Amino acid sequence: MTATVISGNVLQAGVVHGGVHLHHPPPPDVLPRQLPAAPPCFTGRTDALAALDAVFTPPGTGSSSRTTDATPGGTTVVISAIGGTGGIGKTWLALHWAHHHLDHFPDGQLFADLHGFSPDHEPTPPAVAVRGFLDALGIEPSRIPTGLDAQAALFRSLVAGRRMLVVLDNAATTAHVTPLLPGGNRCAVLVTSRNQLPGLITRHGAHPLHLDVLDRAEARALLVRRVGAARVSAEPDAAADLVESCQGFPLALGILAGRAQCQSRLPLADLAAELRRSGVQALNDDDPAASLPAVLSTSRRALTDAQHRAFALLGIAPGPDTSLAAAAALTGLPPAQAEHLLRGLQEASLLEQHTRNRYSMHDLVRDYAATTVHQHLTKQTKEEALTRTVDFYLHTAHAADRLLNPHAHHIRLGPPAPDAQPLPMPDDTTALNWLDTEHRHLLAVQRLAATSHQHDVVWQLAWTLTAFHYRRGHRHDELATWRTALDSAPHLPDRTTRARIHRGTGAAHAGLGQHEQAIEHLYRSLGLLSHHHDPTDQAPTHQQLANAWARRGHHHRALEHATQALELYRKLDQPVREAHALNQVGWYTARLGDHDTARTHCQLALTLHRRHHYPTGEATALDHLAWIDHHTGHHDRAVDHYEQALALFRALGNTFEAANTLDRLGHPHVALGHRDRARTAWREAQELYRQQGRDTEAEEVARRLDALD
């Protein structure tokens, strides 16, 4: 016997031994032809069909052998999308493949819808399905024994030597399928299921085949086949919007296409707008077979109470997917228990593990999960889960920030919620990698905190992400987080906190060249701080004002503020921050043409940064010394300093400053006649600028490259 499961689907087939076909009995008097009609609008699935063909082709043989022999025994193909989510097209794939290979099975085809997850039908007991097969094979009722085991044995005996196809659609469990597997080794069985049916794979040698969503081209082709090419061509943007919104989910696209067919004057744009507005509820219908929520509800009903709770919580979790650690915080469970729950949802085809310890849902499934929150969670349970999740991200990000920016002023957080389980950060590489991976989630967490009026969390996240945004050049995200914090500022009574929010907002505006807004917020910050005469926050505000004025080309005013910051830091006895201010004073002095004074300040800054092991400050000082060297004719020394700075920025993962240094490095190379080296540096700088959305800088480098060529 050979089996194939379509998430899961079992295919059993015959064997070729030494190229000699096994003898089979003469055709029976009754040849069952139970397959439903082939799906009329089947589209795509080339890889899945090829995988089924491969299972039914014995190794070392050509395709011609398949017309007279079944497949090798004991193979099972499983088809699933997000673990076999309902409506992904498992049945269509099975029927399409079966109808294109009817000549492989001259002794007939049997089909049973087991209704394992039907929205309007109870699961079909195996005894009922076996009895239906015996009837289809022409067995008189008087010859059918009593009891499932005896009936299953008779069924196996009847089909043992025949080349037949058995399609078991919509199975719930392995036990649902086992009594219906034929005997011998010449039949083929296709089983479709939303569950993964690991027992069928382990005990019966089923070969798993994962059915994923349609790709964009396949989804568009399906829409064209359903509503017609003319209608799609008439509304190309709306058609593309529909395809994008459905994200390759065949049932969702089919439901909307069906409505378009029934209402020929209904614009596709209206359907797309309804889907954007209402989400999964736009795919609801009184007919359960044409309702995505109804189809998904049958999968959900099979869950345990704990799985129900986890499914609902995942529907409202911030971010596009969920790590195991975040899921543990969300559920308030130890990681091992959380993983067990996630595995159950995965086996039920409601969740997919797309990389190690990261889980995701199709957006429509996630939207449906969110609609079930009120059914399975009290308001208190929901709020506690989201508080744990917010604290998990905030406290883990805070630990990461302390490693990335160890000499900065770090805000104090309150204790995390019980069972929030923030992650430890062993080193800055781990910290930077975690922030890269979870960046979108952290932005989503801040939005969640804003909507739930957690105003302290809102500004704390903006503060915590600043160093990371600077290193990676996420300038627009930096401004967005501080604008969100600015909305929370009126709800925060502490003047120093509001001053910090204005400083962060001003610095973010300055980073995008929005000079007037930058200076306005920075002076408001300074005004709030003047009442307290606290140099701890006044000094960095002066530094940001220096940056803002310098970006406008006012280097005299920039130097004034940088000098005030230096004086304040000296009073505070903070050598690393003093070094930062020394470097800033040196830079603006250099831009004003006093290179000797500038060099002295930058060299002092370099010494302090090295003494206190602050590589970011060291790299910045080297970069500024290189600029001074280049502008005083010491081009070889400039190249050396730039390359040292570049190595440090790269080691730190600071792609923003690495781009700036590469841009500057090209100039002394040109002065030395190293045109190829200049070209290499500028091309890399240009690529980094483009990645960071710094189009103006990229265009300037492009002009230099053109001139160089």
Side-chain angles (χ1 to χ4, degrees):
M1 177 186 76
T2 300
T4 299
V5 178
I6 305 185
S7 186
N9 290 357
V10 178
L11 283 171
Q12 296 178 314
V15 185
V16 175
H17 291 280
V20 178
H21 303 302
L22 296 176
H23 176 71
H24 61 278
D29 294 335
V30 177
L31 291 178
R33 298 284 190 262
Q34 289 192 324
L35 286 181
C41 296
F42 185 87
T43 303
R45 305 296 194 195
T46 304
D47 292 342
L49 292 170
L52 288 175
D53 286 345
V55 169
F56 286 93
T57 303
T61 67
S63 59
S64 61
S65 66
R66 290 178 296 171
T67 61
T68 55
D69 295 279
T71 64
T75 305
T76 301
V77 174
V78 180
I79 296 181
S80 62
I82 314 175
T85 300
I88 207 65
K90 300 180 297 295
T91 302
W92 274 32
L93 177 67
L95 290 177
H96 180 83
W97 184 90
H99 276 281
H100 278 72
H101 296 82
L102 291 178
D103 56 341
H104 296 187
F105 311 106
D107 295 332
Q109 307 90 39
L110 296 170
F111 178 89
D113 185 349
L114 300 179
H115 296 289
F117 299 92
S118 295
D120 56 352
H121 200 292
E122 291 297 317
T124 302
V128 174
V130 168
R131 178 61 185 265
F133 286 169
L134 294 176
D135 291 340
L137 291 167
I139 305 303
E140 296 179 3
S142 60
R143 292 182 54 201
I144 297 177
T146 58
L148 174 60
D149 290 343
Q151 291 175 1
L154 175 59
F155 168 64
R156 289 193 296 270
S157 299
L158 289 170
V159 300
R162 299 178 183 177
R163 295 203 305 275
M164 298 185 69
L165 173 65
V166 180
V167 178
L168 304 175
D169 188 36
N170 202 5
T173 64
T174 298
H176 207 179
V177 170
T178 301
L180 306 176
L181 300 181
N185 57 8
R186 301 178 65 77
C187 288
V189 182
L190 279 167
V191 180
T192 72
S193 177
R194 299 183 197 179
N195 285 335
Q196 294 181 354
L197 306 182
L200 199 62
I201 298 167
T202 302
R203 291 165 49 197
H204 299 281
H207 176 74
L209 173 63
H210 179 81
L211 185 63
D212 207 342
V213 295
L214 299 171
D215 64 30
R216 186 172 298 180
E218 292 173 334
R220 188 181 187 281
L222 177 59
L223 183 63
V224 168
R225 293 195 67 176
R226 291 293 303 271
V227 305
R231 198 164 178 185
V232 171
S233 298
E235 294 185 77
D237 293 340
D241 196 359
L242 277 178
V243 168
E244 184 68 25
S245 299
C246 291
Q247 292 186 320
F249 209 116
L251 179 58
L253 196 58
I255 290 170
L256 295 175
R259 292 178 188 171
Q261 287 178 289
C262 293
Q263 304 176 60
S264 58
R265 295 184 179 180
L266 178 67
L268 297 182
D270 288 0
L271 289 172
E274 182 184 3
L275 186 58
R276 286 195 307 273
R277 182 174 60 253
S278 303
V280 72
Q281 291 306 314
L283 303 170
N284 209 346
D285 194 274
D286 292 336
D287 179 2
S291 169
L292 184 58
V295 168
L296 294 175
S297 70
T298 58
S299 294
R300 181 177 57 84
R301 285 200 295 266
L303 302 178
T304 65
D305 288 343
Q307 289 170 341
H308 272 136
R309 180 172 173 271
F311 179 64
L313 286 172
L314 288 168
I316 58 173
D321 60 4
T322 304
S323 68
L324 175 58
L330 182 70
T331 58
L333 296 172
Q337 293 183 32
E339 185 176 24
H340 179 73
L341 278 180
L342 297 177
R343 190 180 302 117
L345 295 175
Q346 189 179 351
E347 291 175 355
S349 301
L350 293 170
L351 189 68
E352 183 175 3
Q353 185 177 10
H354 55 88
T355 60
R356 178 172 173 78
N357 289 337
R358 295 203 75 85
Y359 301 83
S360 64
M361 290 177 173
H362 189 286
D363 282 354
L364 293 173
V365 177
R366 180 189 176 99
D367 191 16
Y368 171 73
T371 67
T372 70
V373 168
H374 68 281
Q375 301 175 35
H376 302 288
L377 304 176
T378 65
K379 181 180 180 181
Q380 180 180 351
T381 299
K382 172 187 171 183
E383 290 177 352
E384 289 175 349
L386 291 178
T387 298
R388 285 193 303 270
T389 304
V390 168
D391 280 3
F392 162 79
Y393 282 109
L394 173 60
H395 283 262
T396 305
H398 185 258
D401 181 54
R402 291 180 69 89
L403 286 169
L404 295 188
N405 205 11
H407 296 284
H409 173 73
H410 293 286
I411 56 175
R412 292 185 178 181
L413 306 179
D419 298 320
Q421 308 172 71
L423 294 173
M425 287 288 138
D427 53 59
D428 56 355
T429 299
T430 303
L432 192 58
N433 289 339
W434 186 85
L435 288 166
D436 279 331
T437 301
E438 303 291 354
H439 183 220
R440 291 179 297 172
H441 302 76
L442 290 162
L443 299 180
V445 166
Q446 195 203 32
R447 292 192 294 269
L448 172 63
T451 57
S452 56
H453 310 296
Q454 299 180 64
H455 302 298
D456 280 328
V457 171
V458 171
W459 89 266
Q460 288 166 353
L461 273 169
W463 180 281
T464 298
L465 288 171
T466 292
F468 168 71
H469 284 161
Y470 161 64
R471 281 204 190 189
R472 291 308 204 206
H474 296 314
R475 298 177 303 157
H476 293 281
D477 290 328
E478 173 73 354
L479 180 57
T481 57
W482 280 112
R483 278 178 168 169
T484 304
L486 195 62
D487 292 337
S488 289
H491 305 281
L492 298 167
D494 183 63
R495 295 174 69 93
T496 300
T497 298
R498 297 201 302 274
R500 290 172 176 175
I501 291 172
H502 281 291
R503 182 170 75 232
T505 306
H509 277 297
L512 288 168
Q514 299 167 3
H515 307 303
E516 292 184 6
Q517 299 97 315
I519 291 172
E520 176 188 352
H521 282 289
L522 290 169
Y523 277 119
R524 288 186 67 180
S525 174
L526 205 58
L528 287 166
L529 294 169
S530 64
H531 294 277
H532 296 281
H533 305 288
D534 183 359
T536 303
D537 279 288
Q538 288 176 342
T541 304
H542 279 296
Q543 286 185 294
Q544 292 298 342
L545 274 165
N547 288 334
W549 281 114
R551 288 174 182 272
R552 295 191 67 175
H554 297 288
H555 292 102
H556 284 288
R557 300 193 70 169
L559 181 58
E560 290 173 5
H561 284 287
T563 302
Q564 290 184 64
L566 177 59
E567 292 172 354
L568 290 169
Y569 280 135
R570 281 174 170 163
K571 292 178 183 178
L572 291 169
D573 190 25
Q574 296 180 351
V576 171
R577 296 180 189 177
E578 179 185 339
H580 186 201
L582 277 167
N583 197 49
Q584 196 177 37
V585 169
W587 176 245
Y588 299 131
T589 303
R591 298 303 296 255
L592 290 168
D594 187 354
H595 297 118
D596 291 337
T597 302
R599 183 180 287 107
T600 299
H601 280 77
C602 291
Q603 285 176 337
L604 285 171
L606 180 62
T607 300
L608 279 173
H609 283 310
R610 284 176 169 169
R611 181 182 304 161
H612 294 279
H613 309 290
Y614 187 43
T616 298
E618 181 183 349
T620 304
L622 286 165
D623 178 273
H624 292 177
L625 284 168
W627 191 92
I628 296 167
D629 289 334
H630 171 58
H631 285 80
T632 55
H634 302 290
H635 305 303
D636 284 316
R637 196 163 65 192
V639 168
D640 180 57
H641 280 146
Y642 275 136
E643 288 180 344
Q644 289 183 59
L646 183 60
L648 285 168
F649 283 134
R650 282 174 167 161
L652 292 164
N654 192 330
T655 54
F656 184 84
E657 289 297 350
N660 294 335
T661 299
L662 283 162
D663 190 350
R664 293 170 186 152
L665 174 59
H667 296 287
H669 275 312
V670 170
L672 291 167
H674 302 158
R675 301 172 67 83
D676 289 341
R677 294 180 186 179
R679 185 179 293 106
T680 299
W682 281 340
R683 283 177 176 170
E684 187 177 352
Q686 183 183 40
E687 180 58 28
L688 287 173
Y689 283 148
R690 286 172 175 168
Q691 291 173 9
Q692 296 165 14
R694 300 166 70 179
D695 297 334
T696 301
E697 291 93 332
E699 290 170 3
E700 289 176 358
V701 174
R703 285 192 288 272
R704 291 194 203 107
L705 285 167
D706 289 342
L708 190 65
D709 292 335

